[in-house]
Amino acid sequence: NTFIGSGNDIFCESNTFNCIKEYTGSAISISGYIRGNISKNKFTLTGKDFKGIALVNASVDGLLISNNFMVLSGGTGIYLNNSHSTRLLHNSILQKGNGVCFTADLTTSTISKNNIFYNSSLQNYAESLKNTTIYTSVLRLLIQHVLKETTR
């Protein structure tokens, strides 16, 4: 496992996070100026307002979030708030509870490519984007349930 932070550099690779939290919190929380990698991590998260990776008011210098695998029962997988120039590549997030896979608010210049965001809940979206500019590729896969139960 690797989780190294030095000054403004962070390298968090090949870790396993198993978190059960009732309310707020994050497995990885970042604010301030940052660059580096968050890659090849596995997250199993349970919690109403819990976040896997949270960037809040982060001045990002091309931070790479890649090849992470998350299984969520509530909360948010990747959360960006007022954090710019992040690269999201090849992440897989399964949301099985009352929450979303990816949330971005007041965020610009983010690149999202080849991610799989799947929400198995019929009541929630796979991602939530507000006041945000995200550059995506054609290969980006966003799976969203649009099926609703019908009564006969």
Side-chain angles (χ1 to χ4, degrees):
N1 295 351
T2 306
F3 185 55
I4 300 171
S6 171
N8 299 326
D9 296 320
I10 183 171
F11 297 95
C12 180
E13 296 179 345
S14 303
N15 294 289
T16 299
F17 297 89
N18 293 306
C19 303
I20 299 174
K21 187 130 176 146
E22 271 304 307
Y23 298 100
T24 61
S26 302
I28 298 173
S29 181
I30 298 171
S31 62
Y33 178 79
I34 194 74
R35 63 180 174 245
N37 293 315
I38 300 174
S39 301
K40 302 176 188 170
N41 298 292
K42 294 180 183 177
F43 298 79
T44 303
L45 308 173
T46 301
K48 179 181 176 184
D49 294 320
F50 200 73
K51 298 166 184 68
I53 300 170
L55 276 66
V56 179
N57 298 320
S59 178
V60 177
D61 184 10
L63 178 68
L64 174 63
I65 299 175
S66 68
N67 297 302
N68 295 290
F69 179 76
M70 297 184 186
V71 176
L72 311 172
S73 294
T76 303
I78 299 173
Y79 177 81
L80 306 179
N81 183 279
N82 195 31
S83 300
H84 313 284
S85 302
T86 304
R87 295 174 295 151
L88 304 170
L89 307 174
H90 311 291
N91 297 288
S92 298
I93 303 175
L94 167 62
Q95 175 62 263
K96 300 191 302 184
N98 187 15
V100 295
C101 300
F102 173 63
T103 296
D105 190 9
L106 298 171
T107 298
T108 60
S109 302
T110 295
I111 297 171
S112 177
K113 293 183 179 180
N114 302 326
N115 295 293
I116 299 172
F117 301 143
Y118 179 73
N119 192 330
S120 64
S121 170
L122 296 177
Q123 299 174 352
N124 295 309
Y125 296 100
E127 63 181 23
S128 173
L129 307 175
K130 300 174 189 168
N131 305 309
T132 296
T133 303
I134 294 186
Y135 303 98
T136 61
S137 72
V138 174
L139 296 176
R140 179 171 163 257
L141 179 59
L142 170 64
I143 302 173
Q144 175 62 53
H145 267 320
V146 292
L147 301 174
K148 291 188 179 181
E149 240 179 288
T150 59
T151 57
R152 295 180 193 232

